[in-house]
Amino acid sequence: MVLKIASAAYNAFFPTQYVVHIIIGLVTVLVLRAFSQGRRTNRERDLHARKILVTGGFTPTGLTILQSLAQRGAHIIALSPHPIDFPEITIIISLLRANFSNEEIYAEQCDLASPSSIRSFCTRFLTGADQRIDAIIFAHEYQHVGSVAPLRRTQTLEDATSRRESESLATFLMTTLLLPALLVAPVERDIRVINVVNPFYAAAAGPSFSIPFQAPKSQSIFLHEGAHSLRTTIFTRHLQRILDALPTAQVLKTDEGSSAISVVNPKSQKSNIIAVSVSPGISRLDTIGPLLNADWTSSSGYATAGVVL
């Protein structure tokens, strides 16, 4: 009886003439899902005693980064535009410390939309007792900015463009101010500068792309986000070329059995400071949510249709 019911349901919902179409549809969904999850790695590193600076650490993707770093024992400094005694910040830091038995997790106030706040933080850091930096992760530029036109409410295209410019300038300013601390580090220390970019960079890498880089004239939200991502990627590549061109640059040698991992071809890598851009793929909260204006916690409002979708 059960088999007859199952057979009848199969024949009703999966007609024989549509089997090929159904299989193609399922394969397409699986491929898109795998692509949206980004590239995976099985490399594990012991990050104890490694000091890592993280921007955008209190976004959904940023929290995932903080958890992964805390799990590996890293010394974390997460930057937040809010005061460090802000309830949300206090709770998150306390939970990370308790869950991963890692007391070397801290939050510092630094509003990336304010150049004076960035300079103030960098000055405090560079004049402090411990100026060591093993990695800087710029995760604040990953979160999608702007919504599609039918679901757009209070934020205009000009507002979104201004926010993108502010985020890019914050990355440039902080990199410039903290670069002296990276350059004086011992050459045997492998240092990373990582820019986390949104997955729409390919939208801007079309026939209209040219150097010097110019802002797109199109109203497409994907093209603007792609230009934002591609600009950060170009900056990161240019920074690496500058680091490799420094006269004191040396190739970082990795001993067999060491936990250090060389991510660049030794023939072209001349600096122990490696600047890379990474895209973690499409995020439901950081990409799809803002794109559909579906974040009901946003102070600028949200679209009911976007939440339903």
Side-chain angles (χ1 to χ4, degrees), residues 44-47 50 190 254-262:
E44 289 293 336
R45 299 189 64 180
D46 182 8
L47 298 179
R50 301 291 185 94
D190 54 326
T254 304
D255 297 331
E256 185 177 356
S258 171
S259 62
I261 299 173
S262 179

Side-chain angles (χ1 to χ4, degrees), residues 23 265 269 290:
I23 293 176
N265 189 331
Q269 177 183 343

Side-chain angles (χ1 to χ4, degrees), residues 87-132:
E88 179 182 350
I89 306 301
T90 303
I91 292 173
I92 291 175
I93 295 299
S94 299
L95 287 175
L96 288 173
R97 289 177 174 177
N99 288 342
F100 299 104
S101 301
N102 184 353
E103 295 298 323
E104 298 297 326
I105 304 175
Y106 305 94
E108 289 286 348
Q109 183 179 8
C110 180
D111 185 3
L112 298 178
S114 170
S116 60
S117 179
I118 296 175
R119 291 192 186 94
S120 176
F121 165 76
C122 292
T123 300
R124 293 197 310 269
F125 184 86
L126 294 176
T127 56
D130 186 6
Q131 301 177 11
R132 173 171 178 158

Side-chain angles (χ1 to χ4, degrees), residues 161-224:
T161 301
S162 177
R163 178 179 167 185
R164 294 188 194 98
E165 293 287 344
S166 176
E167 291 178 348
S168 297
L169 291 174
T171 300
F172 175 78
L173 179 59
M174 183 167 290
T175 302
T176 304
L177 294 176
L178 294 179
L179 193 57
L182 303 181
L183 294 176
V184 299
V187 295
E188 65 270 10
R189 184 186 304 167
D190 54 326
I191 299 174
R192 300 288 184 266
V193 178
I194 303 172
N195 279 303
V196 184
V197 298
N198 70 72
F200 299 119
Y201 53 87
S208 60
F209 173 75
S210 62
I211 298 293
F213 194 82
Q214 296 180 353
K217 298 180 180 179
S218 171
Q219 298 294 315
S220 170
I221 189 70
F222 298 103
L223 186 58
H224 280 270

Side-chain angles (χ1 to χ4, degrees), residues 214-256:
Q214 296 180 353
K217 298 180 180 179
S218 171
Q219 298 294 315
S220 170
I221 189 70
F222 298 103
L223 186 58
H224 280 270
E225 278 292 273
H228 178 206
S229 178
L230 191 58
R231 179 173 53 198
T232 301
T233 303
I234 294 173
F235 163 71
T236 307
R237 185 69 187 104
H238 181 66
L239 174 62
Q240 184 63 59
R241 288 177 176 175
I242 293 176
L243 294 171
D244 289 339
L246 293 177
T248 56
Q250 298 183 25
V251 176
L252 178 64
K253 297 182 179 179
T254 304
D255 297 331
E256 185 177 356

Side-chain angles (χ1 to χ4, degrees), residues 1-195:
M1 186 66 182
V2 175
L3 294 178
K4 291 183 178 180
I5 295 175
S7 177
Y10 176 82
N11 292 329
F13 292 101
F14 302 99
T16 306
Q17 63 270 29
Y18 296 117
V19 170
V20 175
H21 302 79
I22 293 173
I23 293 176
I24 292 176
L26 291 175
V27 171
T28 302
V29 171
L30 292 175
V31 170
L32 288 175
R33 182 177 183 274
F35 173 78
S36 65
Q37 289 180 334
R39 187 175 181 180
R40 296 188 178 185
T41 178
N42 57 0
R43 293 174 173 175
E44 289 293 336
R45 299 189 64 180
D46 182 8
L47 298 179
H48 286 83
R50 301 291 185 94
K51 182 184 289 188
I52 301 177
L53 188 66
V54 182
T55 67
F58 298 98
T59 60
T61 300
L63 289 175
T64 302
I65 294 174
L66 292 183
Q67 291 177 20
S68 298
L69 295 175
Q71 184 178 9
R72 291 162 176 80
H75 179 165
I76 303 171
I77 301 178
L79 302 187
S80 168
H82 305 292
I84 57 176
D85 57 353
F86 193 71
E88 179 182 350
I89 306 301
T90 303
I91 292 173
I92 291 175
I93 295 299
S94 299
L95 287 175
L96 288 173
R97 289 177 174 177
N99 288 342
F100 299 104
S101 301
N102 184 353
E103 295 298 323
E104 298 297 326
I105 304 175
Y106 305 94
E108 289 286 348
Q109 183 179 8
C110 180
D111 185 3
L112 298 178
S114 170
S116 60
S117 179
I118 296 175
R119 291 192 186 94
S120 176
F121 165 76
C122 292
T123 300
R124 293 197 310 269
F125 184 86
L126 294 176
T127 56
D130 186 6
Q131 301 177 11
R132 173 171 178 158
I133 303 180
D134 292 282
I136 305 177
I137 302 178
F138 293 107
H140 64 281
E141 292 192 66
Y142 171 71
Q143 194 169 41
H144 189 86
V145 179
S147 306
V148 292
L151 301 175
R152 196 176 298 152
R153 289 294 181 266
T154 57
Q155 189 181 54
T156 64
L157 188 61
E158 290 73 19
D159 293 336
T161 301
S162 177
R163 178 179 167 185
R164 294 188 194 98
E165 293 287 344
S166 176
E167 291 178 348
S168 297
L169 291 174
T171 300
F172 175 78
L173 179 59
M174 183 167 290
T175 302
T176 304
L177 294 176
L178 294 179
L179 193 57
L182 303 181
L183 294 176
V184 299
V187 295
E188 65 270 10
R189 184 186 304 167
D190 54 326
I191 299 174
R192 300 288 184 266
V193 178
I194 303 172
N195 279 303

